[in-house]
Amino acid sequence: MLKNAWKPLSLILILYTIWAGMIWETPRLPILNETIRNLYFHVPMWFGMIIILLVACIYSIMYLNTKNIKYDIYSNQMTNVGILFGILGLVTGMIWAKYTWGEMWSGDAKQKGSAWGLFIYFVYLILRYSVSDPTDRAKFSSVYNILAYLALVPLLFIFPRMQDSLHPGNGGNPGFNSYDLDSRMRMIFYPAVIGWTLLGVWLATLRARLDLVREK
Amino acid sequence: MTINLLKSKSKQFYFIFVLLKKEFALDNKKKQNWSVALLYLFGSIFTIYLLVGQNKNNLSIPLWNSILWVILFFSAMQILANTFSKEPKNRDFYYSQITNAESIIFAKLIYNFIQVSILFVAGYFIFAFMLGNQVQNLPLFILSLVLGSASYVSTLTLVSAIAYKANSNNGIMAILGLPIVLPTTLEISQLSKNAIDGLDISVSYDEISIICSLIAISISLAFLLFPFLWKD
């Protein structure tokens, strides 16, 4: 029973963060105003994506070491969920940018980097479609997945910091840590990160188990 | 024990040397590989020359730089896509019998690096001859060409191995390689932009160190991952 307790826990945490994120008081800041609540919905997507794609990368390494097809299926489904989170993160970020930067897409370094990072993972999907033999597909996509993760990290975290960017935490702008002086926002933000990540893992394991059944 | 180890080490170096010699012999025998890449380079530069004209003011410096790098990237792709598919059919098994995967990838990396850096320098001179030279710091620009070829080769050799093993058509190579080399392309074009503007090399130490670390990462990845691809 307790082994599966994290599954309902993820739902409880997400419902709590949606309720508290909409209702609870936030710091009153110029320009940001109420859009600061996007912290509870946009940032957990990227945190969840990075964690889940890291898990997918580790599964790929485990596949190459053991040649057990199970790890490849898990790696593939983790990557699918990571791509979903990335798209959601990009969309929520664009909605936020509409109200703070004035335009949905202003060609910011962070926007360009994350769009290109997603493109790398779309190519991963194309590679998987183009190979039909399951063992070969597992081998090539595992190698490519490791390459993709190592290309994604500089695109998201190194290049936006070196160029001019309006994104909080980049280009000399303060990150969210300086906004929540009374750490009230952290009470919602960290549960949101944990909740969304657990939900993503749940989704991925469900689909991977379905694939494993199909394989037999 | 130590003698055996030394023996095997020197044997490995010997194999790398033999494999390199084989690469040169192969390209000397089948000249289409080189001539296709050179003609591709010349043809695309000539097209841009016809479209834009030789007047130096027709292209702004950022545009000059980016067109040059797009052409160089795709001509490198043209030559690197054949890294493994140019081998005679069914040689893979023979190579895996006489040597190990690390020697093969090492020889391929060195040979591709020589090939692509010659191609890049030639491409720059053709481009400058046809569209006007805008480079003020030539040594730094040549350095950026060499670093660019090293970073493209270190990433795309592994990608071409994936494309060769996946299926032997070259279309998938471009789509696999393009997104992976974007981080290096951004840094390289920044470095060559500095060289075009005639800035001193001390301004570009940041870019050079980042490019070198990216090259180191991708070479070590090629060594780690290629054996998994090579053996069936």
Side-chain angles (χ1 to χ4, degrees):
Chain A
M1 267 312 275
L2 276 174
K3 218 177 94 184
N4 288 327
W6 57 275
K7 292 172 181 174
L9 179 72
S10 72
L11 283 184
I12 293 166
L13 282 177
I14 288 169
L15 288 176
Y16 155 73
T17 50
I18 290 174
W19 170 74
M22 292 294 181
I23 303 290
W24 283 15
E25 215 173 301
T26 52
R28 305 244 166 266
L29 295 163
I31 303 176
L32 281 174
N33 299 325
E34 292 292 326
T35 64
I36 199 168
R37 293 181 194 280
N38 199 28
L39 176 74
Y40 309 136
F41 305 104
H42 167 69
V43 186
M45 290 298 154
W46 292 111
F47 270 66
M49 187 194 83
I50 281 296
I51 294 168
I52 287 172
L53 288 181
L54 177 65
V55 174
C57 181
I58 291 168
Y59 269 123
S60 292
I61 296 170
M62 279 162 73
Y63 171 76
L64 287 177
N65 275 333
T66 61
K67 304 284 180 206
N68 187 346
I69 200 83
K70 192 179 126 193
Y71 293 130
D72 174 62
I73 289 170
Y74 271 92
S75 163
N76 176 30
Q77 294 302 349
M78 289 281 177
T79 311
N80 285 345
V81 172
I83 292 170
L84 177 70
F85 273 29
I87 294 170
L88 289 175
L90 205 59
V91 169
T92 48
M94 278 161 70
I95 296 168
W96 179 79
K98 171 87 181 145
Y99 294 101
T100 48
W101 301 347
E103 268 182 90
M104 279 206 159
W105 194 273
S106 47
D108 193 76
K110 195 85 168 178
Q111 286 178 326
K112 285 190 276 191
S114 45
W116 201 278
L118 280 177
F119 181 45
I120 294 177
Y121 276 94
F122 291 146
V123 171
Y124 167 84
L125 294 181
I126 290 175
L127 179 66
R128 276 195 84 87
Y129 293 140
S130 69
V131 186
S132 50
D133 180 52
T135 321
D136 277 355
R137 184 171 60 206
K139 197 161 62 179
F140 307 142
S141 56
S142 297
V143 170
Y144 195 80
N145 203 347
I146 297 165
L147 276 180
Y149 193 75
L150 287 175
L152 178 76
V153 170
L155 278 174
L156 287 185
F157 300 112
I158 298 175
F159 291 117
R161 279 182 171 74
M162 289 165 51
Q163 296 167 6
D164 294 329
S165 173
L166 285 169
H167 195 279
N170 298 124
N173 295 321
F176 80 92
N177 281 326
S178 56
Y179 293 137
D180 55 333
L181 298 167
D182 49 3
S183 77
R184 242 177 333 186
M185 293 180 78
R186 272 175 226 196
M187 294 277 290
I188 311 172
F189 174 68
Y190 290 122
V193 171
I194 297 168
W196 284 106
T197 309
L198 287 180
L199 186 76
V201 173
W202 187 9
L203 197 60
T205 46
L206 269 182
R207 295 195 55 181
R209 279 162 61 199
L210 199 62
D211 275 4
L212 277 174
V213 172
R214 278 198 197 120
E215 196 82 359
K216 276 171 187 164
Chain B
M1 184 67 200
T2 37
I3 293 169
N4 272 338
L5 201 72
L6 270 176
K7 216 173 159 187
S8 68
K9 273 259 166 77
S10 61
K11 213 173 171 185
Q12 204 162 25
F13 280 121
Y14 175 70
F15 269 131
I16 291 167
F17 179 69
V18 169
L19 285 168
L20 261 176
K21 237 171 83 178
K22 181 218 67 177
E23 297 284 339
F24 279 104
L26 199 66
D27 263 356
N28 201 21
K29 191 179 159 205
K30 284 187 173 181
K31 296 192 176 66
Q32 94 243 33
N33 212 4
W34 255 103
S35 37
V36 162
L38 270 180
L39 205 63
Y40 182 89
L41 195 66
F42 183 78
S44 43
I45 294 172
F46 194 67
T47 312
I48 290 167
Y49 161 71
L50 290 178
L51 292 174
V52 176
Q54 200 178 9
N55 193 346
K56 209 175 170 184
N57 301 324
N58 286 349
L59 282 177
S60 63
I61 288 175
L63 205 55
W64 191 91
N65 190 23
S66 42
I67 289 177
L68 176 63
W69 277 105
V70 168
I71 288 174
L72 290 183
F73 172 76
F74 279 103
S75 58
M77 199 69 108
Q78 193 66 241
I79 209 163
L80 290 176
N82 293 326
T83 307
F84 292 95
S85 53
K86 75 182 173 192
E87 301 276 354
K89 288 261 177 294
N90 306 327
R91 277 281 172 88
D92 300 3
F93 183 67
Y94 173 58
Y95 290 145
S96 59
Q97 290 293 308
I98 56 166
T99 180
N100 53 0
E102 283 85 359
S103 317
I104 294 176
I105 187 77
F106 195 68
K108 290 279 184 196
L109 282 173
I110 291 177
Y111 183 68
N112 281 345
F113 172 65
I114 296 168
Q115 243 182 344
V116 174
S117 34
I118 292 171
L119 192 75
F120 275 18
V121 174
Y124 160 65
F125 280 111
I126 299 171
F127 197 85
F129 176 70
M130 287 200 171
L131 289 147
N133 188 13
Q134 308 214 2
V135 179
Q136 292 175 28
N137 189 347
L138 189 63
L140 185 60
F141 194 79
I142 299 285
L143 178 70
S144 84
L145 289 173
V146 172
L147 282 177
S149 69
S151 56
Y152 282 163
V153 163
S154 56
T155 324
L156 293 177
T157 304
L158 186 63
V159 172
S160 80
I162 297 178
Y164 167 65
K165 286 278 179 176
N167 55 8
S168 41
N169 92 45
N170 287 343
I172 198 156
M173 167 85 187
I175 206 146
L176 287 178
L178 187 62
I180 293 287
V181 296
L182 179 84
T184 38
T185 308
L186 286 176
E187 282 306 306
I188 294 285
S189 67
Q190 185 59 46
L191 177 64
S192 67
K193 175 82 171 36
N194 288 351
I196 292 169
D197 290 340
L199 300 178
D200 193 64
I201 190 167
S202 58
V203 183
S204 319
Y205 281 152
D206 275 359
E207 280 89 7
I208 292 173
S209 57
I210 287 174
I211 293 163
C212 288
S213 52
L214 284 171
I215 292 171
I217 291 173
S218 37
I219 286 181
S220 46
L221 264 181
F223 270 96
L224 281 175
L225 296 178
F226 182 74
F228 291 110
L229 283 173
W230 190 246
K231 54 181 183 228
D232 288 314

